[in-house]
Amino acid sequence: MKDRKHQEHKKENHKTTPSKRDALKANLKTKIVKFKIQRFDAAKDKKEDAPRYDTFELEVKDGTTLLDCLDMIKWRHDGSLTYRRNCKNSICGSCSMKVNKRTKLACEKQVHKITETFCSDEILIETMGNMSPVKALVVDMG
C-alpha cells in the first residue's frame, strides 16, 4: 500500500503539464541557416573540375545537429544529396566532413553552436580533403 502511494505521488509531482510543455517549446531558439554544400558525382564530374555548390535554407531549432539538417535537406529539398551516416553517436567517424574548412563529425556538432562559433548563419559543408569524393559528400574510405 505504501509503495503504491509513493508511486502515485511520484507520478503526480513529475508530470509535465501542457502549459509547462508549451513553455519549454517556446524557449527553444530557432533561426534560418543557409547551408552551402559541395556536390560531386564521379559519373558526371571530373576531379579536376572546380567544385560546384548547392545552397539550402532551413529553419533550425536549438540543439539540432548538422546530421539532422542534412537529413531534412535530403528528405524535404533534394533527394539526391548523398552522405554517410552510421552510429549517430560520435563513435564511427563515417559522418566526418569539413564544416567551414574544419573537420567535424556531423552527428556531433550542433548547428546553433557552429553559427555562434563562426559568427555567421551560413555553413559551408565539403568533403574531406584527404579522400577522393565519390558522390556528393561521400568519399572513398578504402
mmCIF file of all heavy atoms in Angstrom, residues 34-65:
data_model
loop_
_atom_site.group_PDB
_atom_site.id
_atom_site.type_symbol
_atom_site.label_atom_id
_atom_site.label_comp_id
_atom_site.label_asym_id
_atom_site.label_seq_id
_atom_site.Cartn_x
_atom_site.Cartn_y
_atom_site.Cartn_z
ATOM 1 N N LYS A 34 21.647 29.027 -43.641
ATOM 2 C CA LYS A 34 21.921 28.713 -45.044
ATOM 3 C C LYS A 34 23.053 27.688 -45.087
ATOM 4 O O LYS A 34 24.103 27.891 -44.481
ATOM 5 C CB LYS A 34 22.332 29.980 -45.781
ATOM 6 C CG LYS A 34 22.424 29.814 -47.280
ATOM 7 C CD LYS A 34 22.865 31.100 -47.954
ATOM 8 C CE LYS A 34 21.752 32.107 -47.936
ATOM 9 N NZ LYS A 34 22.054 33.295 -48.763
ATOM 10 N N PHE A 35 22.822 26.583 -45.795
ATOM 11 C CA PHE A 35 23.813 25.524 -45.941
ATOM 12 C C PHE A 35 24.331 25.536 -47.377
ATOM 13 O O PHE A 35 23.551 25.376 -48.315
ATOM 14 C CB PHE A 35 23.197 24.155 -45.624
ATOM 15 C CG PHE A 35 22.722 24.027 -44.217
ATOM 16 C CD1 PHE A 35 21.438 24.412 -43.859
ATOM 17 C CD2 PHE A 35 23.570 23.536 -43.243
ATOM 18 C CE1 PHE A 35 21.008 24.297 -42.552
ATOM 19 C CE2 PHE A 35 23.142 23.422 -41.930
ATOM 20 C CZ PHE A 35 21.860 23.811 -41.580
ATOM 21 N N LYS A 36 25.610 25.734 -47.541
ATOM 22 C CA LYS A 36 26.244 25.696 -48.854
ATOM 23 C C LYS A 36 26.998 24.374 -48.923
ATOM 24 O O LYS A 36 27.989 24.180 -48.217
ATOM 25 C CB LYS A 36 27.195 26.881 -49.013
ATOM 26 C CG LYS A 36 27.770 27.021 -50.393
ATOM 27 C CD LYS A 36 28.609 28.285 -50.490
ATOM 28 C CE LYS A 36 29.227 28.409 -51.862
ATOM 29 N NZ LYS A 36 30.065 29.617 -51.962
ATOM 30 N N ILE A 37 26.506 23.447 -49.751
ATOM 31 C CA ILE A 37 27.003 22.073 -49.754
ATOM 32 C C ILE A 37 27.727 21.759 -51.060
ATOM 33 O O ILE A 37 27.181 21.965 -52.148
ATOM 34 C CB ILE A 37 25.839 21.076 -49.547
ATOM 35 C CG1 ILE A 37 25.122 21.390 -48.227
ATOM 36 C CG2 ILE A 37 26.344 19.646 -49.578
ATOM 37 C CD1 ILE A 37 23.889 20.563 -47.986
ATOM 38 N N GLN A 38 28.948 21.248 -50.920
ATOM 39 C CA GLN A 38 29.729 20.836 -52.084
ATOM 40 C C GLN A 38 29.079 19.611 -52.708
ATOM 41 O O GLN A 38 28.675 18.685 -52.013
ATOM 42 C CB GLN A 38 31.157 20.503 -51.666
ATOM 43 C CG GLN A 38 32.040 20.080 -52.808
ATOM 44 C CD GLN A 38 33.442 19.732 -52.352
ATOM 45 O OE1 GLN A 38 33.766 19.804 -51.178
ATOM 46 N NE2 GLN A 38 34.269 19.346 -53.293
ATOM 47 N N ARG A 39 28.988 19.613 -54.035
ATOM 48 C CA ARG A 39 28.393 18.482 -54.741
ATOM 49 C C ARG A 39 29.406 17.904 -55.716
ATOM 50 O O ARG A 39 30.191 18.623 -56.328
ATOM 51 C CB ARG A 39 27.153 18.929 -55.522
ATOM 52 C CG ARG A 39 26.077 19.579 -54.671
ATOM 53 C CD ARG A 39 25.565 18.681 -53.556
ATOM 54 N NE ARG A 39 24.863 17.520 -54.014
ATOM 55 C CZ ARG A 39 23.555 17.430 -54.179
ATOM 56 N NH1 ARG A 39 22.792 18.454 -53.880
ATOM 57 N NH2 ARG A 39 23.000 16.324 -54.616
ATOM 58 N N PHE A 40 29.374 16.592 -55.871
ATOM 59 C CA PHE A 40 30.250 15.890 -56.800
ATOM 60 C C PHE A 40 29.589 14.581 -57.182
ATOM 61 O O PHE A 40 28.987 13.923 -56.343
ATOM 62 C CB PHE A 40 31.612 15.620 -56.153
ATOM 63 C CG PHE A 40 32.581 14.933 -57.070
ATOM 64 C CD1 PHE A 40 33.327 15.665 -57.971
ATOM 65 C CD2 PHE A 40 32.734 13.556 -57.050
ATOM 66 C CE1 PHE A 40 34.223 15.037 -58.836
ATOM 67 C CE2 PHE A 40 33.616 12.920 -57.907
ATOM 68 C CZ PHE A 40 34.365 13.664 -58.809
ATOM 69 N N ASP A 41 29.706 14.228 -58.444
ATOM 70 C CA ASP A 41 29.216 12.934 -58.910
ATOM 71 C C ASP A 41 30.283 12.364 -59.833
ATOM 72 O O ASP A 41 30.531 12.906 -60.917
ATOM 73 C CB ASP A 41 27.887 13.090 -59.642
ATOM 74 C CG ASP A 41 27.256 11.754 -59.994
ATOM 75 O OD1 ASP A 41 27.925 10.708 -59.831
ATOM 76 O OD2 ASP A 41 26.087 11.749 -60.412
ATOM 77 N N ALA A 42 30.930 11.301 -59.411
ATOM 78 C CA ALA A 42 32.031 10.705 -60.182
ATOM 79 C C ALA A 42 31.581 10.286 -61.579
ATOM 80 O O ALA A 42 32.382 10.284 -62.510
ATOM 81 C CB ALA A 42 32.612 9.508 -59.430
ATOM 82 N N ALA A 43 30.308 9.981 -61.746
ATOM 83 C CA ALA A 43 29.802 9.563 -63.052
ATOM 84 C C ALA A 43 29.713 10.742 -64.022
ATOM 85 O O ALA A 43 29.810 10.559 -65.231
ATOM 86 C CB ALA A 43 28.427 8.920 -62.889
ATOM 87 N N LYS A 44 29.551 11.964 -63.500
ATOM 88 C CA LYS A 44 29.372 13.137 -64.359
ATOM 89 C C LYS A 44 30.546 14.112 -64.302
ATOM 90 O O LYS A 44 30.918 14.708 -65.303
ATOM 91 C CB LYS A 44 28.113 13.907 -63.942
ATOM 92 C CG LYS A 44 26.827 13.140 -64.048
ATOM 93 C CD LYS A 44 25.698 13.981 -63.509
ATOM 94 C CE LYS A 44 24.409 13.181 -63.401
ATOM 95 N NZ LYS A 44 23.374 13.957 -62.717
ATOM 96 N N ASP A 45 31.088 14.321 -63.115
ATOM 97 C CA ASP A 45 32.108 15.351 -62.911
ATOM 98 C C ASP A 45 33.513 14.771 -62.999
ATOM 99 O O ASP A 45 33.740 13.608 -62.683
ATOM 100 C CB ASP A 45 31.928 15.995 -61.526
ATOM 101 C CG ASP A 45 30.550 16.608 -61.349
ATOM 102 O OD1 ASP A 45 29.981 17.071 -62.343
ATOM 103 O OD2 ASP A 45 30.052 16.619 -60.206
ATOM 104 N N LYS A 46 34.447 15.618 -63.400
ATOM 105 C CA LYS A 46 35.861 15.239 -63.406
ATOM 106 C C LYS A 46 36.504 15.809 -62.153
ATOM 107 O O LYS A 46 36.128 16.883 -61.680
ATOM 108 C CB LYS A 46 36.549 15.801 -64.648
ATOM 109 C CG LYS A 46 36.026 15.220 -65.938
ATOM 110 C CD LYS A 46 36.706 15.855 -67.123
ATOM 111 C CE LYS A 46 36.100 15.323 -68.415
ATOM 112 N NZ LYS A 46 36.599 16.046 -69.576
ATOM 113 N N LYS A 47 37.481 15.094 -61.618
ATOM 114 C CA LYS A 47 38.131 15.541 -60.382
ATOM 115 C C LYS A 47 38.815 16.888 -60.539
ATOM 116 O O LYS A 47 38.895 17.655 -59.594
ATOM 117 C CB LYS A 47 39.145 14.496 -59.905
ATOM 118 C CG LYS A 47 38.490 13.266 -59.365
ATOM 119 C CD LYS A 47 39.497 12.280 -58.835
ATOM 120 C CE LYS A 47 38.758 11.036 -58.359
ATOM 121 N NZ LYS A 47 39.668 10.031 -57.871
ATOM 122 N N GLU A 48 39.284 17.183 -61.750
ATOM 123 C CA GLU A 48 39.978 18.452 -61.944
ATOM 124 C C GLU A 48 39.022 19.635 -62.138
ATOM 125 O O GLU A 48 39.447 20.780 -62.113
ATOM 126 C CB GLU A 48 41.003 18.374 -63.082
ATOM 127 C CG GLU A 48 40.567 17.819 -64.405
ATOM 128 C CD GLU A 48 40.500 16.288 -64.502
ATOM 129 O OE1 GLU A 48 40.995 15.544 -63.639
ATOM 130 O OE2 GLU A 48 39.902 15.842 -65.472
ATOM 131 N N ASP A 49 37.730 19.359 -62.314
ATOM 132 C CA ASP A 49 36.748 20.444 -62.427
ATOM 133 C C ASP A 49 36.630 21.180 -61.095
ATOM 134 O O ASP A 49 36.819 20.589 -60.028
ATOM 135 C CB ASP A 49 35.367 19.895 -62.801
ATOM 136 C CG ASP A 49 35.314 19.378 -64.241
ATOM 137 O OD1 ASP A 49 36.232 19.705 -65.023
ATOM 138 O OD2 ASP A 49 34.358 18.651 -64.550
ATOM 139 N N ALA A 50 36.287 22.448 -61.189
ATOM 140 C CA ALA A 50 36.058 23.217 -59.964
ATOM 141 C C ALA A 50 34.838 22.641 -59.255
ATOM 142 O O ALA A 50 33.860 22.253 -59.904
ATOM 143 C CB ALA A 50 35.820 24.682 -60.311
ATOM 144 N N PRO A 51 34.886 22.570 -57.928
ATOM 145 C CA PRO A 51 33.725 22.015 -57.214
ATOM 146 C C PRO A 51 32.491 22.899 -57.402
ATOM 147 O O PRO A 51 32.604 24.111 -57.553
ATOM 148 C CB PRO A 51 34.170 22.000 -55.752
ATOM 149 C CG PRO A 51 35.340 22.901 -55.674
ATOM 150 C CD PRO A 51 35.944 22.983 -57.029
ATOM 151 N N ARG A 52 31.342 22.267 -57.413
ATOM 152 C CA ARG A 52 30.099 23.035 -57.503
ATOM 153 C C ARG A 52 29.376 22.936 -56.164
ATOM 154 O O ARG A 52 29.563 21.985 -55.403
ATOM 155 C CB ARG A 52 29.236 22.569 -58.658
ATOM 156 C CG ARG A 52 28.845 21.126 -58.631
ATOM 157 C CD ARG A 52 28.128 20.707 -59.924
ATOM 158 N NE ARG A 52 27.913 19.282 -59.926
ATOM 159 C CZ ARG A 52 26.851 18.681 -59.415
ATOM 160 N NH1 ARG A 52 25.890 19.400 -58.885
ATOM 161 N NH2 ARG A 52 26.741 17.375 -59.431
ATOM 162 N N TYR A 53 28.553 23.926 -55.895
ATOM 163 C CA TYR A 53 27.879 24.010 -54.602
ATOM 164 C C TYR A 53 26.395 24.252 -54.815
ATOM 165 O O TYR A 53 25.999 24.960 -55.734
ATOM 166 C CB TYR A 53 28.463 25.149 -53.764
ATOM 167 C CG TYR A 53 29.901 24.913 -53.365
ATOM 168 C CD1 TYR A 53 30.952 25.268 -54.196
ATOM 169 C CD2 TYR A 53 30.205 24.305 -52.152
ATOM 170 C CE1 TYR A 53 32.272 25.037 -53.839
ATOM 171 C CE2 TYR A 53 31.522 24.079 -51.782
ATOM 172 C CZ TYR A 53 32.546 24.440 -52.636
ATOM 173 O OH TYR A 53 33.850 24.205 -52.276
ATOM 174 N N ASP A 54 25.587 23.679 -53.939
ATOM 175 C CA ASP A 54 24.152 23.962 -53.875
ATOM 176 C C ASP A 54 23.879 24.597 -52.519
ATOM 177 O O ASP A 54 24.510 24.244 -51.519
ATOM 178 C CB ASP A 54 23.319 22.685 -54.014
ATOM 179 C CG ASP A 54 23.304 22.136 -55.426
ATOM 180 O OD1 ASP A 54 23.612 22.895 -56.364
ATOM 181 O OD2 ASP A 54 22.979 20.942 -55.590
ATOM 182 N N THR A 55 22.931 25.514 -52.488
ATOM 183 C CA THR A 55 22.601 26.219 -51.247
ATOM 184 C C THR A 55 21.167 25.904 -50.841
ATOM 185 O O THR A 55 20.266 25.902 -51.686
ATOM 186 C CB THR A 55 22.782 27.739 -51.439
ATOM 187 O OG1 THR A 55 24.123 27.977 -51.878
ATOM 188 C CG2 THR A 55 22.543 28.481 -50.148
ATOM 189 N N PHE A 56 20.982 25.651 -49.560
ATOM 190 C CA PHE A 56 19.668 25.343 -48.999
ATOM 191 C C PHE A 56 19.471 26.170 -47.736
ATOM 192 O O PHE A 56 20.423 26.395 -46.983
ATOM 193 C CB PHE A 56 19.560 23.851 -48.632
ATOM 194 C CG PHE A 56 19.844 22.932 -49.774
ATOM 195 C CD1 PHE A 56 21.124 22.441 -49.990
ATOM 196 C CD2 PHE A 56 18.838 22.558 -50.643
ATOM 197 C CE1 PHE A 56 21.399 21.583 -51.043
ATOM 198 C CE2 PHE A 56 19.098 21.697 -51.709
ATOM 199 C CZ PHE A 56 20.386 21.218 -51.910
ATOM 200 N N GLU A 57 18.237 26.597 -47.489
ATOM 201 C CA GLU A 57 17.922 27.317 -46.257
ATOM 202 C C GLU A 57 16.945 26.482 -45.442
ATOM 203 O O GLU A 57 15.991 25.933 -45.976
ATOM 204 C CB GLU A 57 17.302 28.679 -46.555
ATOM 205 C CG GLU A 57 18.295 29.695 -47.016
ATOM 206 C CD GLU A 57 17.707 31.097 -47.105
ATOM 207 O OE1 GLU A 57 16.507 31.276 -46.839
ATOM 208 O OE2 GLU A 57 18.467 32.004 -47.452
ATOM 209 N N LEU A 58 17.221 26.401 -44.134
ATOM 210 C CA LEU A 58 16.354 25.662 -43.220
ATOM 211 C C LEU A 58 16.098 26.489 -41.971
ATOM 212 O O LEU A 58 16.974 27.247 -41.539
ATOM 213 C CB LEU A 58 17.015 24.365 -42.754
ATOM 214 C CG LEU A 58 17.186 23.214 -43.711
ATOM 215 C CD1 LEU A 58 17.900 22.074 -43.017
ATOM 216 C CD2 LEU A 58 15.843 22.739 -44.229
ATOM 217 N N GLU A 59 14.931 26.311 -41.389
ATOM 218 C CA GLU A 59 14.672 26.858 -40.061
ATOM 219 C C GLU A 59 15.130 25.786 -39.078
ATOM 220 O O GLU A 59 14.624 24.666 -39.091
ATOM 221 C CB GLU A 59 13.193 27.161 -39.869
ATOM 222 C CG GLU A 59 12.902 27.813 -38.547
ATOM 223 C CD GLU A 59 11.453 28.227 -38.393
ATOM 224 O OE1 GLU A 59 10.713 28.225 -39.388
ATOM 225 O OE2 GLU A 59 11.060 28.535 -37.259
ATOM 226 N N VAL A 60 16.108 26.126 -38.248
ATOM 227 C CA VAL A 60 16.760 25.151 -37.387
ATOM 228 C C VAL A 60 16.499 25.479 -35.923
ATOM 229 O O VAL A 60 16.717 26.606 -35.490
ATOM 230 C CB VAL A 60 18.287 25.131 -37.663
ATOM 231 C CG1 VAL A 60 18.975 24.112 -36.792
ATOM 232 C CG2 VAL A 60 18.558 24.849 -39.126
ATOM 233 N N LYS A 61 16.040 24.482 -35.179
ATOM 234 C CA LYS A 61 15.826 24.639 -33.740
ATOM 235 C C LYS A 61 17.135 24.457 -32.986
ATOM 236 O O LYS A 61 18.020 23.730 -33.433
ATOM 237 C CB LYS A 61 14.815 23.615 -33.232
ATOM 238 C CG LYS A 61 13.429 23.812 -33.742
ATOM 239 C CD LYS A 61 12.507 22.742 -33.197
ATOM 240 C CE LYS A 61 11.121 22.881 -33.790
ATOM 241 N NZ LYS A 61 10.245 21.789 -33.373
ATOM 242 N N ASP A 62 17.232 25.081 -31.848
ATOM 243 C CA ASP A 62 18.398 24.924 -30.982
ATOM 244 C C ASP A 62 18.543 23.449 -30.609
ATOM 245 O O ASP A 62 17.564 22.786 -30.297
ATOM 246 C CB ASP A 62 18.214 25.787 -29.727
ATOM 247 C CG ASP A 62 19.493 25.948 -28.946
ATOM 248 O OD1 ASP A 62 20.572 25.666 -29.497
ATOM 249 O OD2 ASP A 62 19.418 26.365 -27.772
ATOM 250 N N GLY A 63 19.751 22.919 -30.670
ATOM 251 C CA GLY A 63 20.001 21.525 -30.325
ATOM 252 C C GLY A 63 20.016 20.593 -31.517
ATOM 253 O O GLY A 63 20.344 19.415 -31.392
ATOM 254 N N THR A 64 19.675 21.104 -32.707
ATOM 255 C CA THR A 64 19.664 20.284 -33.905
ATOM 256 C C THR A 64 21.093 20.084 -34.410
ATOM 257 O O THR A 64 21.853 21.035 -34.517
ATOM 258 C CB THR A 64 18.823 20.956 -35.009
ATOM 259 O OG1 THR A 64 17.517 21.202 -34.501
ATOM 260 C CG2 THR A 64 18.722 20.084 -36.240
ATOM 261 N N THR A 65 21.435 18.840 -34.723
ATOM 262 C CA THR A 65 22.785 18.557 -35.211
ATOM 263 C C THR A 65 22.870 18.793 -36.721
ATOM 264 O O THR A 65 21.850 18.856 -37.411
ATOM 265 C CB THR A 65 23.206 17.105 -34.916
ATOM 266 O OG1 THR A 65 22.359 16.223 -35.671
ATOM 267 C CG2 THR A 65 23.144 16.788 -33.438
#
